[in-house]
Amino acid sequence: MKNKSKKIKRKHNMQGTYESVKVIGTFHRYGIQQSVDSNGTFYYRPVVYMQDCQDLSNTDLKLPEYLLFNLTKGFKSLGILNPGTKLEINCRHYLKEERNAGYGYPTNIVIANNRPDFPDDPNVLAGMIMVKNQDNPEAEKDPINTDLIQIYKKWLENKE
């Protein structure tokens, strides 16, 4: 079976040629980089260090040990992150033959979700909620339907 490669849409801007990609990785730490503006004034730039990153758009691409992103509003909207938090990030990958090769301009940053989706079937969903609330004293007045609980348990067995 042939391995079909996805056609890459390349874009160009002042920083070079890039492709839009989705990266998943582990938040490692916050850091500070010292920079100099065009007037020669030093300033400090907060950054985010990501490790164990994979490019979900191109699985053959070898990423560096760490990816470094500016601490943008997208990161700040998640609150203060703890090391080990998995994140999905849409960003630009600047191609190697160009100046500024690397990753940048992070957008749509979300905590990676390894949790299962809710069941589509309303009976399975109701049974799941009933099972999850069995030991919750706040839910003691919620209705219980053993048939729906059995439907949920059977759905779980078939899913595995």
Side-chain angles (χ1 to χ4, degrees):
M1 197 163 164
K2 285 189 178 179
N3 199 5
K4 289 187 177 181
S5 61
K6 185 176 145 187
K7 185 167 173 136
I8 298 171
K9 266 190 159 176
R10 295 185 174 168
K11 301 173 187 168
H12 305 279
N13 67 9
M14 300 270 296
Q15 286 82 29
T17 302
Y18 67 91
E19 59 188 356
S20 296
V21 297
K22 181 177 265 192
V23 173
I24 187 167
T26 305
F27 169 76
H28 181 65
R29 69 180 182 91
Y30 296 106
I32 297 290
Q33 282 195 331
Q34 188 175 18
S35 297
V36 181
D37 66 15
S38 59
N39 297 326
T41 305
F42 286 94
Y43 66 95
Y44 296 98
R45 186 168 48 103
V47 294
V48 173
Y49 285 87
M50 299 289 297
Q51 67 182 14
D52 303 323
C53 294
Q54 297 173 345
D55 183 338
L56 297 177
S57 306
N58 182 353
T59 56
D60 296 335
L61 190 62
K62 174 105 172 93
L63 293 169
E65 184 178 353
Y66 289 98
L67 289 183
L68 191 66
F69 292 106
N70 288 335
L71 180 57
T72 61
K73 284 190 232 178
F75 284 108
K76 290 177 183 177
S77 71
L78 300 174
I80 297 174
L81 298 170
N82 293 319
T85 304
K86 287 265 194 208
L87 299 176
E88 284 184 16
I89 302 167
N90 289 335
C91 61
R92 294 178 184 176
H93 171 231
Y94 287 93
L95 303 178
K96 298 215 180 275
E97 67 269 15
E98 299 287 341
R99 194 179 123 235
N100 295 334
Y103 290 79
Y105 292 90
T107 61
N108 300 330
I109 304 161
V110 295
I111 294 176
N113 186 343
N114 292 331
R115 296 176 298 268
D117 292 330
F118 280 102
D120 292 329
D121 183 323
N123 291 326
V124 174
L125 178 60
M128 180 196 79
I129 292 170
M130 290 173 188
V131 167
K132 293 195 178 295
N133 281 338
Q134 281 180 341
D135 295 328
N136 185 345
E138 293 176 2
E140 68 183 28
K141 292 185 181 179
D142 287 1
I144 299 288
N145 182 314
T146 54
D147 291 337
L148 293 178
I149 291 173
Q150 289 307 313
I151 289 171
Y152 169 64
K153 288 181 178 178
K154 186 168 181 92
W155 176 82
L156 270 180
E157 289 172 10
N158 292 335
K159 192 174 176 196
E160 293 172 352

